[in-house]
Amino acid sequence: MPRIAAAAYACEFLGAWSAYEAKIARWVADAAGQGAELLVFPEWAGLELATFDGRETAAGAESCIDAQTRWLPQADALHARLAAENGVHICAASALVRREDGQAVNRARLFAPSGAIGVQDKLVMTRYEREVLDIRPGDQARVFDTALGRIAIAICYDAEFPLIARAMVEAGAQIILAPSCTEGLQGYWRVRIGAQARAMEGQCITVQSPTVGRADWNEAIDVTTGAAGIFCPPDRGFPPTGILALGQIDAPGWVLADADLGAVAGVRRDGGVLNMTHWPEQQDGRLSRLETVDLRTGAARSTAAE
């Protein structure tokens, strides 16, 4: 039964590697000290890396990506070391990084205590990522086998799309991490509703870790809103609300809960409902024969004929 810690994380203008190293080490030690085995940091907080090169670099759409790309290997080495020293798995804050072809992606990394690293790029871009920053989608979804269970990562907007999580669940995912970064309450609730729906549909654990607060040095995260949450199926062996733990809006810190993967297996096998098992019944041909019926005239039109 792994203990999960979801961060509500305030991005800061740190200005130097030493300040970043101390901050991440402090956060990891805090969660590990509370017995956490899986730590989840939010989307976009990798922007803190760009602050090492000054305000102008951190504020620039292209320069901040280049700075994150330069500093990411050192940040990854830090997370790998902290994972090993504390005996924990860490989903590091996602960063905007350039691939070898020069295109930028939004990348999360999962570090195991053994030194193994898993990488997941965001698959579906928001309008801001598409239209302003030209961030490219990742080309592959992954599921990671770990000592804690089988874990997948659906970064922010990805958690709003059921087929992404469904593919992960079909590959055996028991825990889906949803690091997020949202400007207002409407964005936070879209991701939270998505995360809770994915937990219900896939009969799994989902984890939302948001950025919170103000960061006037980059317009992408100048104001962010959210609450950390750990969600579950509202079924046997779990809270009827589908909420294992939930923080306060815009309150920085860790939210922790124990994730009973035995209960996940139980509801998938013999829950009050069997969402995961019954999912294919949506695809048995009935929807392809959908009819539009005009109740004013009684006329019916099948979409299959169009």
Side-chain angles (χ1 to χ4, degrees):
M1 186 184 298
R3 176 163 292 183
I4 300 173
Y9 185 89
C11 293
E12 300 175 88
F13 191 94
L14 297 171
W17 169 260
S18 58
Y20 175 81
E21 182 179 30
K23 181 179 181 180
I24 298 300
R26 184 172 64 251
W27 274 76
V28 171
D30 184 17
Q34 298 180 66
E37 299 167 88
L38 172 60
L39 285 56
V40 186
F41 286 95
E43 181 190 34
W44 279 78
L47 273 167
E48 287 184 323
L49 299 172
T51 68
F52 308 161
D53 295 335
R55 286 190 173 271
E56 184 175 349
T57 295
E62 295 294 325
S63 60
C64 80
I65 297 172
D66 292 334
Q68 288 173 83
T69 303
R70 286 195 304 274
W71 284 101
L72 196 65
Q74 193 166 331
D76 283 354
L78 170 65
H79 285 82
R81 175 172 62 82
L82 292 173
E85 289 176 353
N86 291 275
V88 297
H89 291 70
I90 304 173
C91 180
S94 83
L96 303 181
V97 296
R98 294 201 189 279
R99 303 180 304 205
E100 290 183 359
D101 63 4
Q103 301 296 333
V105 294
N106 185 345
R107 177 166 293 170
R109 292 95 57 225
L110 180 63
F111 298 86
S114 65
I117 303 174
V119 172
Q120 180 63 63
D121 294 340
K122 191 173 183 177
L123 299 173
V124 183
M125 299 297 100
T126 62
R127 292 193 64 184
Y128 183 78
E129 288 169 316
R130 294 168 192 257
E131 299 169 14
V132 178
L133 297 180
D134 192 30
I135 305 300
R136 300 304 174 92
D139 57 10
Q140 189 173 24
R142 294 184 172 93
V143 172
F144 306 103
D145 279 320
T146 76
L148 304 180
R150 191 164 284 186
I151 300 172
I153 306 171
I155 301 174
C156 199
Y157 197 38
D158 285 353
E160 299 180 33
F161 294 90
L163 294 184
I164 292 175
R166 177 63 191 182
M168 295 169 172
V169 165
E170 288 180 340
Q174 299 158 296
I175 303 171
I176 298 177
L177 311 181
S180 67
C181 178
T182 52
E183 181 179 18
L185 281 172
Q186 68 274 24
Y188 158 69
W189 274 103
R190 282 197 302 269
V191 180
R192 176 172 163 185
I193 290 168
Q196 290 199 253
R198 306 299 79 86
M200 179 191 69
E201 296 161 354
Q203 296 181 290
C204 61
I205 306 298
T206 59
V207 184
Q208 184 178 7
S209 167
T211 53
V212 296
R214 296 179 176 272
D216 62 3
W217 40 272
N218 186 287
E219 69 173 6
I221 56 170
D222 56 352
V223 179
T224 54
T225 299
I230 303 171
F231 309 114
C232 60
D235 205 335
R236 297 170 182 167
F238 292 108
T241 59
I243 299 172
L244 288 173
L246 185 64
Q248 299 296 314
I249 289 288
D250 294 343
W254 290 112
V255 169
L256 293 97
D258 294 322
D260 188 345
L261 300 188
V264 168
V267 296
R268 287 177 171 181
R269 181 180 61 252
D270 187 29
V273 290
L274 297 171
N275 303 79
M276 181 182 170
T277 299
H278 296 156
W279 178 280
E281 293 183 18
Q282 302 172 89
Q283 302 163 295
D284 64 2
R286 284 174 286 181
L287 296 184
S288 67
R289 300 190 299 273
L290 186 146
E291 284 187 332
T292 299
V293 179
D294 189 333
L295 294 182
R296 299 165 297 182
T297 66
R301 184 176 72 254
S302 172
T303 58
E306 296 179 351

